[in-house]
Amino acid sequence: MNEWTPIRTEQSVPALGTLPVEARPEDLPAAYRPGAFLFTSPAGVLLAEGERAVLTSPVEAAGALGADEIVVGAIPFDPAAPSRLVIPEVVRRSGPLPAAARQAPGVSAHWLAQHTDADAYRTGVRRALELMESGALSKVVLARRLDLVAAEPVDVLDLVRALAARDPRGHTFAADLGDRTLLGTSPELLIRRTGSVVSSNPLAGSRPRAEDPVLDGRNATALLSSAKDRREHAVVVTAVADALAPYCKQLTVPSEPELLPTRSMWHLSTQVTGVLADPDTPVLELATALHPTPAVCGTPTAAARRVIGELEPFDRGFYTGVVGWSDARGDGEWVVTIRCGEVRGATLRLFAGAGLVLGSDPEAELAETGAKLRTLLGALGVEESA
């Protein structure tokens, strides 16, 4: 890993832009309606409604904002594919949701069927390991889908409320894609810019949470001491730091990862912070420089992307892309689009992936994707069929 100049940074989370505070935090998820954009994070809650303009690329968006405007939306996994970015008509924001755990509201749906590609996933993992043994690449992230089919259109509002309530300090999002709604709760901050200060929170390496506190602690300890997971994590942190280094006059990269708990998973986590050399560098430029990280693609990036295209039996679309907001000053917050799904009528398509390195086991990686799917399945009150 390269050498970076260490700095001291404040640990408090900056405010979400400078728009007037108009609502209590818990009011905005309740006010969300399909077609709007909702984004919650430890920095605050943002609800954007209406479409003043719809844009298809981050470059186009960066040059289209008026002085008091913001852009919200999603960028796909493939940076060459069209984005879905909106300059909204109305924006409301508040401080962060209360940290205290709350009972999530129920999601009313009569589920008729589940469709999974678990067998294809096992086959893909075995093939990826063969390619790694031949030296074609050192890491690749393979994903799978789980489709839930309901008797009636899925209630997006209920699901968004449930996700926000289950993880009030996470990054819950809902973005209109035109013909479907992208929603989820991501644990991974790709980039936040507040003035000249930037931060990123790469995650790689994970274990499922357990209801038994003793087993849960063992899972956390096993993850923190796992040489395989720490190697995988180091690859991602190095890539993030290398991508940010040309933009920063100071960069802090901790030498050891920490444990980040979510409701369903333990993650290895590193907080990377920096000070921009050019304070006018916009957050969208930083996001496109970072995306995709090895945490969702692999390394080398080009080789991993080719393997993903060959082995995954579906187009990722906006899964493992980025979702968030930015303003005309260049400030903003973008997270990696994971722990997510897409609602289209009566179908809810869920996605989950796992990072593969030499030594990975197909059954263990499948189990990891199952644990990650529980972020949304738990909000629905259902379990994946065997």
Side-chain angles (χ1 to χ4, degrees), residues 35-96:
F37 176 87
L38 179 72
F39 188 86
T40 80
S41 83
V45 185
L46 183 150
L47 178 63
E49 299 168 300
E51 296 180 351
R52 189 171 298 176
V54 179
L55 310 167
T56 59
S57 79
V59 173
E60 182 184 12
L65 292 180
D68 297 322
E69 292 181 324
I70 72 168
V71 63
V72 301
I75 299 169
F77 170 65
D78 181 358
S83 298
R84 173 77 179 188
L85 300 169
V86 173
I87 299 176
E89 294 178 339
V90 178
V91 177
R92 288 186 280 169
R93 61 163 294 271
S94 74

Side-chain angles (χ1 to χ4, degrees), residues 314-344:
F314 61 96
D315 180 357
R316 288 191 179 186
F318 288 87
Y319 168 63
T320 62
V322 291
V323 61
W325 67 275
S326 60
D327 62 24
R329 296 180 304 279
D331 288 346
E333 191 171 22
W334 296 83
V335 300
V336 182
T337 314
I338 53 177
R339 310 297 182 275
C340 67
E342 294 179 353
V343 174
R344 189 196 305 259

Side-chain angles (χ1 to χ4, degrees), residues 114-138:
Q114 292 187 20
H115 305 287
T116 181
D117 52 8
D119 289 339
Y121 184 78
R122 292 187 185 93
T123 300
V125 171
R126 287 191 287 267
R127 176 57 183 153
L129 291 173
E130 292 173 357
L131 293 172
M132 281 185 271
E133 289 172 356
S134 70
L137 72 167
S138 57

Side-chain angles (χ1 to χ4, degrees), residues 2-367:
N2 294 344
E3 295 295 329
W4 297 283
T5 304
I7 60 171
R8 292 184 179 275
T9 57
E10 295 295 329
Q11 295 303 307
S12 59
V13 177
L16 188 65
T18 58
L19 295 169
V21 175
E22 298 181 359
R24 295 181 305 167
E26 54 269 33
D27 290 341
L28 294 186
Y32 165 83
R33 294 295 182 272
F37 176 87
L38 179 72
F39 188 86
T40 80
S41 83
V45 185
L46 183 150
L47 178 63
E49 299 168 300
E51 296 180 351
R52 189 171 298 176
V54 179
L55 310 167
T56 59
S57 79
V59 173
E60 182 184 12
L65 292 180
D68 297 322
E69 292 181 324
I70 72 168
V71 63
V72 301
I75 299 169
F77 170 65
D78 181 358
S83 298
R84 173 77 179 188
L85 300 169
V86 173
I87 299 176
E89 294 178 339
V90 178
V91 177
R92 288 186 280 169
R93 61 163 294 271
S94 74
L97 291 169
R102 294 179 288 147
Q103 181 65 37
V107 177
S108 57
H110 177 207
W111 301 105
L112 300 176
Q114 292 187 20
H115 305 287
T116 181
D117 52 8
D119 289 339
Y121 184 78
R122 292 187 185 93
T123 300
V125 171
R126 287 191 287 267
R127 176 57 183 153
L129 291 173
E130 292 173 357
L131 293 172
M132 281 185 271
E133 289 172 356
S134 70
L137 72 167
S138 57
K139 175 185 175 178
V140 66
V141 180
L142 286 188
R144 68 182 181 99
R145 301 166 299 179
L146 176 65
D147 286 353
L148 303 179
V149 181
E152 62 284 318
V154 178
D155 192 323
V156 175
L157 176 57
D158 279 356
L159 184 49
V160 169
R161 287 174 175 173
L163 289 170
R166 284 173 62 85
D167 191 3
R169 300 311 300 271
H171 304 94
T172 297
F173 55 87
D176 178 55
L177 300 181
D179 60 345
R180 62 200 188 280
T181 301
L182 174 71
L183 46 77
T185 299
S186 174
E188 187 164 3
L189 173 68
L190 181 70
I191 190 69
R192 178 191 295 121
R193 198 203 92 155
T194 305
S196 61
V197 178
V198 296
S199 57
S200 180
N201 184 200
L203 307 179
S206 58
R207 291 288 189 281
R209 300 296 303 272
E211 293 185 5
D212 177 12
V214 174
L215 179 56
D216 194 45
R218 287 174 181 168
N219 287 351
T221 301
L223 174 60
L224 197 57
S225 60
S226 166
K228 169 187 171 292
D229 288 289
R230 289 174 75 98
R231 286 196 308 271
E232 180 184 345
H233 185 77
V235 168
V236 178
V237 173
T238 298
V240 168
D242 285 347
L244 286 178
Y247 295 96
C248 294
K249 60 183 178 182
Q250 295 173 308
L251 198 62
T252 296
V253 185
S255 59
E256 292 290 320
E258 298 176 333
L259 286 170
L260 175 78
T262 68
R263 190 161 181 141
S264 60
M265 302 294 295
W266 287 104
H267 296 280
L268 290 181
S269 163
T270 295
Q271 293 281 351
V272 178
T273 56
V275 175
L276 292 171
D278 179 358
D280 292 328
T281 304
V283 69
L284 269 174
E285 182 176 344
L286 300 171
T288 54
L290 288 165
H291 173 64
T293 74
V296 296
C297 184
T299 186
T301 301
R305 193 192 299 278
R306 285 195 299 272
V307 170
I308 288 169
E310 293 169 2
L311 299 183
E312 288 183 355
F314 61 96
D315 180 357
R316 288 191 179 186
F318 288 87
Y319 168 63
T320 62
V322 291
V323 61
W325 67 275
S326 60
D327 62 24
R329 296 180 304 279
D331 288 346
E333 191 171 22
W334 296 83
V335 300
V336 182
T337 314
I338 53 177
R339 310 297 182 275
C340 67
E342 294 179 353
V343 174
R344 189 196 305 259
T347 299
L348 171 59
R349 170 162 291 177
L350 309 182
F351 303 92
L356 312 179
V357 296
L358 285 176
S360 293
D361 173 71
E363 292 302 324
E365 303 304 333
L366 179 64

